[in-house]
Amino acid sequence: MSPFPSSRFPHPHPHPTQFGVPVLSRRGLLRGAAVGTGALGLSGLLSACGERPADENTVTFGSNQSDPVPREALAQVVATFEEESDLTVEVNTVDHNTFQENINRYLQGTPDDVFTWFAGYRMQFFAAQGLLTPISDVWEDIGDQYSDAMRDQSTGEDGEQYFVPFYYYPWAMFYRPSVWAERGYTPPTTFDEYIALCDRMRADGLVPIAFGNEDGWPAMGTFDYLNMRINGYEFHAALMRGEESWEDPAVREVFATWAELLPYCQEGANGRIWQDAAQALVNGEAGMYLLGMFVGQQFPDDQRDDLDFFPFPEINPEHGQGAVEAPIDGFLISAEARNVDGAKELLRFLASAEAQELYLASDPNNIAANSTADTSNYSAMQNKAVELVSNATHISQFMDRDTRPDFASTVMIPSLQQFINDPSDIDGLLRQIEEQKQSIFDDE
Amino acid sequence: MTAVTSTSPATPPSTTGASGVSSAQRRKRRITPARIALHIVLMTAALGWLAPVLLAVYASLRPYADTAAHGYLSWPERLTFDYYIQVWQDAELPRYFFNTLIVTVPAVIIILFLASFVAYAIARVRLPGARVLLVLFTAGNLLPPQVLITPLYVLYNKLPLPWWISDSMSLYDSYLGLIAIHVAFQLGFCVFVLANYMRQIPTEITEAALVDGAGLWKRYLTVTLPLARPALAALATLEFTWIYNDFLWALVLMSSGDKLPITSALNNLRGQFFTDYNLLAAGAVLVALPTIIVFNLLQKQFIAGLTLGANKG
């Protein structure tokens, strides 16, 4: 096409001098720039020696408290710690859901020294993989301020402590006392009373039980309570650890009981977020709602006093109402921590009643994990929650924290959604869960 | 230089004439029921596209308690800009906007710089296997980025970087890594568009430059590149919005919250359980604003960018 084959070459021979000068000068410029960057790079490399500068005075802190109110509260706690110690804390905030979904990548990548996480199996899972630093020496100092249940939830399978509890929030049946007083309802304690109340509410034109499960996790709370009430905490815990079969008639009974309850629940739950279900409770359209204490966040400030709860009713008298679902949030030290001493000092502070009181001042939907924390500023509901949890025979953490996270999210979320859509084929569903459970739990 | 530009048949006179005639005809056309129907359909469709945006703006101006109690399609009790102030200050949006710039601006410059090299080589240098090269770059566009997430994640973690380039000591969680991934994934498209565009520039122009004694560099830099300016502008606009809008890569390849670009940082407005959707709407409106502005200012380039290289030169 082109009659000039020399176009392949940058410098056609006929005119070497004509363009030699500008080309050379551009090259010269480029070369100069390259040398310049190289020199800069080299000096940087030499001064840093390619190592992350070790800083004994800094602790890095990965936080999943991203929304404005808790973030500000945590910032205050950290500022107080910085004042009281010689350490500086670098807080790295990532939003809660992303943090949770990225935890594997996070821990295997470049984790912070201290990070926010959950108690129980979900912590033990990572401790067993050697991704956490044991902190039994911290527990020697703080242990007497915590209940045995808290210590259990903070202990790994190897008997060492890994976790510092910060706060917890119980799950229960929430209702509006004003709505109930108007119609003369009283909190049921047995399952028969519970069903009778549901019938009464339906006759009165209320949706008895608010229900929203779009995100997949809220329905787990219902399963947990039904299983603990019907089969007891021990069986529930073993089932969650993968030691019991999902095809066991005991599990079948849980789903059969749930199928009885479903007609009393808000329809189309898989397409409703919990906030909309809670709004039905706020508006007085629904009678009660099984959720964590964070349900209060959906209530307008001036109506928060009009919220109360009762424990999930008894089904099997053998197990009573003793087991309580109360997820605990707190802190861990990663195995890769650069400043372990500083991290432990931060954990000692976060474990103190002082730090937890400071944090909870801005968040009335949680309870301090430290048993010596001052409860005089608690609302009536917070005090009731303290009583509920301290009288509990067992504390469970919630399905996605009590079992393998991958099992909870990839098997249980779709399975429970399928059950809510069509509760008729329980046997098929349980067979399917058991098959998938085996492939996940045998993976190790 | 100006003489050269004017010879390029960017807008043939016949086209202008034809469009002038047709618009004059249109003006004369009478209003018929079919036209009214057409406009109703068009307006409904436009409203359909605008509705989500308008609803987000409307929601962002109302307090959460109001919309929670009465629904999003109700008459407002009061309208306020509080959420915008809250988002700007509490969620530190300016910082995340800056992070986006750190990633987007170098990425766009590097992409265009490298793509113009390859495109010029394919279009104007008689390179053995030029066609294969073009096919290779074009085929890269067909690769779904999602399938590469896991290998890339592992690779990024294993590529060490010195402390002064990335404080994570690896390509993972570094701006460099994010820029590199955008360059890699957008290069194919840009090479394809630029190569087709450069082919359309008459060979006579470069040949004339060659006769005048211009070397390869000179022909690339002072003849072809200025002529390809419309294509570069169109691509710059497109690439800017695409990289700006990226959500996935920052989520996968970043772990520090304070390094996230604006789109991923929007997640910070969501709580552990409770999310104030009206606050989130205010944040989303602010984040969408730059792309809306860029699109409206540079609409011409935008549409040009989508059709450039659509036909083979």
Side-chain angles (χ1 to χ4, degrees), chain A residues 232-264:
Chain A
Y233 174 81
E234 307 297 341
F235 178 84
H236 177 69
L239 183 71
M240 291 295 118
R241 285 194 302 266
E243 293 161 12
E244 295 281 349
S245 166
W246 282 79
E247 291 180 279
D248 193 304
V251 182
R252 203 192 177 285
E253 199 192 331
V254 172
F255 280 95
T257 313
W258 197 352
E260 269 175 60
L261 276 180
L262 274 180
Y264 298 106

Coordinates of all heavy atoms in Angstrom, one line a residue, chain A residues 232-264:
Chain A
G232 N -33.8 -28.1 72.5 CA -32.8 -27.7 73.5 C -31.6 -27.2 72.9 O -31.2 -27.4 71.7
Y233 N -30.8 -26.4 73.7 CA -29.6 -25.7 73.2 C -28.5 -26.7 72.8 O -27.9 -26.5 71.8 CB -29.1 -24.8 74.3 CG -27.7 -24.2 74.0 CD1 -27.7 -23.1 73.1 CD2 -26.5 -24.7 74.4 CE1 -26.5 -22.5 72.7 CE2 -25.3 -24.2 74.0 CZ -25.3 -23.1 73.2 OH -24.1 -22.5 72.8
E234 N -28.4 -27.8 73.5 CA -27.3 -28.7 73.2 C -27.4 -29.3 71.8 O -26.5 -29.3 71.0 CB -27.2 -29.9 74.2 CG -27.1 -29.5 75.7 CD -25.9 -28.8 76.0 OE1 -24.9 -28.8 75.3 OE2 -25.9 -28.1 77.1
F235 N -28.7 -29.7 71.5 CA -28.9 -30.2 70.1 C -28.7 -29.1 69.1 O -28.1 -29.4 68.0 CB -30.3 -30.8 70.0 CG -30.7 -31.3 68.7 CD1 -30.3 -32.6 68.3 CD2 -31.3 -30.5 67.7 CE1 -30.6 -33.1 67.0 CE2 -31.6 -31.0 66.5 CZ -31.2 -32.3 66.1
H236 N -29.2 -27.9 69.4 CA -29.0 -26.8 68.4 C -27.5 -26.6 68.1 O -27.1 -26.4 67.0 CB -29.7 -25.6 69.0 CG -29.6 -24.4 68.1 ND1 -30.2 -24.3 66.9 CD2 -28.8 -23.2 68.3 CE1 -29.9 -23.1 66.4 NE2 -29.1 -22.4 67.2
A237 N -26.7 -26.5 69.2 CA -25.3 -26.2 69.0 C -24.6 -27.3 68.2 O -23.8 -27.0 67.3 CB -24.7 -26.0 70.4
A238 N -25.0 -28.6 68.5 CA -24.4 -29.7 67.8 C -24.8 -29.6 66.3 O -24.0 -29.9 65.4 CB -24.8 -31.0 68.4
L239 N -26.1 -29.3 66.1 CA -26.6 -29.2 64.7 C -25.8 -28.1 63.9 O -25.4 -28.3 62.8 CB -28.1 -28.9 64.7 CG -28.7 -28.8 63.3 CD1 -28.8 -30.2 62.7 CD2 -30.1 -28.2 63.4
M240 N -25.5 -27.0 64.6 CA -24.8 -25.9 64.0 C -23.4 -26.3 63.7 O -22.8 -25.8 62.7 CB -24.9 -24.7 64.9 CG -26.2 -24.0 65.0 SD -26.8 -23.4 63.5 CE -28.3 -24.3 63.2
R241 N -22.8 -27.1 64.6 CA -21.4 -27.5 64.4 C -21.3 -28.5 63.3 O -20.2 -29.0 63.0 CB -20.8 -28.0 65.7 CG -20.5 -26.9 66.7 CD -19.6 -27.4 67.8 NE -20.2 -28.6 68.5 CZ -20.9 -28.4 69.7 NH1 -21.1 -27.2 70.2 NH2 -21.4 -29.5 70.2
G242 N -22.4 -29.0 62.8 CA -22.4 -30.0 61.8 C -22.3 -31.4 62.3 O -22.1 -32.4 61.6
E243 N -22.6 -31.6 63.6 CA -22.4 -32.9 64.2 C -23.7 -33.7 64.2 O -23.7 -34.9 64.4 CB -22.0 -32.8 65.7 CG -20.5 -32.3 65.8 CD -20.2 -31.7 67.1 OE1 -21.0 -32.0 68.1 OE2 -19.2 -31.1 67.3
E244 N -24.9 -33.0 64.0 CA -26.2 -33.7 63.9 C -26.7 -33.7 62.5 O -26.3 -32.8 61.8 CB -27.2 -33.1 64.9 CG -26.9 -33.2 66.3 CD -27.2 -34.5 67.0 OE1 -27.9 -35.3 66.3 OE2 -26.7 -34.8 68.1
S245 N -27.5 -34.6 62.2 CA -28.1 -34.6 60.8 C -29.3 -33.7 60.7 O -30.1 -33.6 61.6 CB -28.5 -36.1 60.4 OG -29.3 -36.0 59.3
W246 N -29.3 -33.0 59.6 CA -30.5 -32.2 59.3 C -31.7 -33.0 59.0 O -32.9 -32.5 58.9 CB -30.2 -31.2 58.2 CG -29.4 -30.0 58.7 CD1 -28.0 -30.0 58.9 CD2 -29.9 -28.7 59.1 NE1 -27.6 -28.8 59.5 CE2 -28.7 -28.0 59.6 CE3 -31.1 -28.1 59.1 CZ2 -28.8 -26.7 60.0 CZ3 -31.2 -26.8 59.6 CH2 -30.1 -26.1 60.0
E247 N -31.5 -34.3 58.6 CA -32.7 -35.2 58.3 C -33.2 -35.8 59.6 O -34.2 -36.6 59.5 CB -32.3 -36.2 57.3 CG -32.0 -35.6 55.9 CD -31.6 -36.6 54.9 OE1 -30.4 -37.0 54.8 OE2 -32.5 -37.0 54.1
D248 N -32.7 -35.5 60.7 CA -33.2 -36.0 62.0 C -34.6 -35.6 62.2 O -35.0 -34.5 61.9 CB -32.3 -35.4 63.1 CG -32.5 -36.1 64.5 OD1 -33.6 -36.1 64.9 OD2 -31.4 -36.5 65.0
P249 N -35.5 -36.5 62.7 CA -36.9 -36.1 62.9 C -37.0 -34.9 63.8 O -38.0 -34.1 63.7 CB -37.5 -37.4 63.6 CG -36.5 -38.5 63.4 CD -35.2 -37.9 63.1
A250 N -36.0 -34.7 64.7 CA -36.1 -33.5 65.6 C -36.1 -32.2 64.8 O -36.8 -31.3 65.1 CB -34.9 -33.5 66.6
V251 N -35.3 -32.2 63.7 CA -35.2 -31.0 62.9 C -36.5 -30.8 62.1 O -37.0 -29.8 61.8 CB -34.0 -31.0 61.9 CG1 -33.9 -29.8 61.1 CG2 -32.7 -31.2 62.7
R252 N -37.0 -32.0 61.6 CA -38.2 -32.0 60.9 C -39.4 -31.4 61.7 O -40.2 -30.6 61.1 CB -38.6 -33.5 60.5 CG -39.5 -33.5 59.3 CD -40.2 -34.8 59.1 NE -41.0 -34.7 57.9 CZ -42.2 -34.0 57.9 NH1 -42.7 -33.5 59.1 NH2 -42.9 -33.9 56.8
E253 N -39.4 -31.7 63.0 CA -40.4 -31.1 63.8 C -40.3 -29.6 63.9 O -41.3 -28.9 64.0 CB -40.3 -31.8 65.2 CG -41.6 -31.6 66.0 CD -41.4 -31.9 67.5 OE1 -40.5 -32.8 67.8 OE2 -42.2 -31.3 68.3
V254 N -39.1 -29.1 63.9 CA -38.9 -27.6 63.9 C -39.6 -27.0 62.7 O -40.4 -26.0 62.9 CB -37.4 -27.3 64.0 CG1 -37.2 -25.8 63.8 CG2 -36.8 -27.8 65.2
F255 N -39.3 -27.6 61.6 CA -39.9 -27.0 60.4 C -41.4 -27.2 60.3 O -42.1 -26.3 59.8 CB -39.2 -27.6 59.1 CG -37.9 -26.9 58.8 CD1 -36.7 -27.5 59.3 CD2 -37.8 -25.7 58.1 CE1 -35.5 -26.9 59.0 CE2 -36.6 -25.1 57.8 CZ -35.4 -25.7 58.3
A256 N -41.9 -28.3 60.8 CA -43.3 -28.6 60.9 C -44.0 -27.5 61.8 O -45.1 -27.0 61.4 CB -43.6 -30.0 61.4
T257 N -43.4 -27.2 62.9 CA -44.0 -26.2 63.8 C -44.0 -24.8 63.2 O -44.9 -24.1 63.3 CB -43.1 -26.2 65.1 OG1 -42.9 -27.5 65.6 CG2 -43.8 -25.3 66.2
W258 N -42.8 -24.6 62.4 CA -42.7 -23.3 61.8 C -43.8 -23.2 60.7 O -44.4 -22.1 60.5 CB -41.3 -23.2 61.1 CG -40.9 -21.8 60.7 CD1 -41.7 -20.7 60.7 CD2 -39.6 -21.4 60.3 NE1 -41.0 -19.6 60.3 CE2 -39.7 -20.0 60.0 CE3 -38.4 -22.1 60.1 CZ2 -38.6 -19.3 59.6 CZ3 -37.3 -21.3 59.6 CH2 -37.4 -20.0 59.4
A259 N -44.1 -24.3 60.0 CA -45.1 -24.2 58.9 C -46.5 -23.9 59.6 O -47.3 -23.2 58.9 CB -45.2 -25.6 58.2
E260 N -46.7 -24.3 60.8 CA -47.9 -23.9 61.5 C -48.0 -22.4 61.8 O -49.0 -21.8 61.8 CB -48.0 -24.6 62.9 CG -48.6 -25.9 63.0 CD -48.5 -26.5 64.4 OE1 -49.0 -25.8 65.3 OE2 -47.8 -27.5 64.5
L261 N -46.8 -21.8 62.0 CA -46.7 -20.4 62.4 C -46.8 -19.5 61.1 O -47.3 -18.4 61.2 CB -45.4 -20.1 63.1 CG -45.3 -20.3 64.6 CD1 -43.9 -20.0 65.0 CD2 -46.3 -19.5 65.3
L262 N -46.3 -20.0 60.0 CA -46.2 -19.2 58.8 C -47.5 -18.5 58.4 O -47.5 -17.3 58.0 CB -45.7 -20.0 57.6 CG -44.1 -20.1 57.5 CD1 -43.7 -20.9 56.3 CD2 -43.5 -18.7 57.4
P263 N -48.7 -19.1 58.5 CA -49.9 -18.4 58.1 C -50.2 -17.2 59.0 O -50.9 -16.3 58.6 CB -51.0 -19.5 58.3 CG -50.3 -20.8 58.3 CD -48.9 -20.5 58.8
Y264 N -49.6 -17.1 60.2 CA -49.7 -15.9 61.0 C -48.7 -14.8 60.7 O -48.8 -13.7 61.3 CB -49.6 -16.3 62.5 CG -50.7 -17.3 63.0 CD1 -50.3 -18.6 63.2 CD2 -52.0 -16.9 63.2 CE1 -51.3 -19.5 63.6 CE2 -53.0 -17.8 63.6 CZ -52.6 -19.1 63.8 OH -53.6 -20.0 64.2

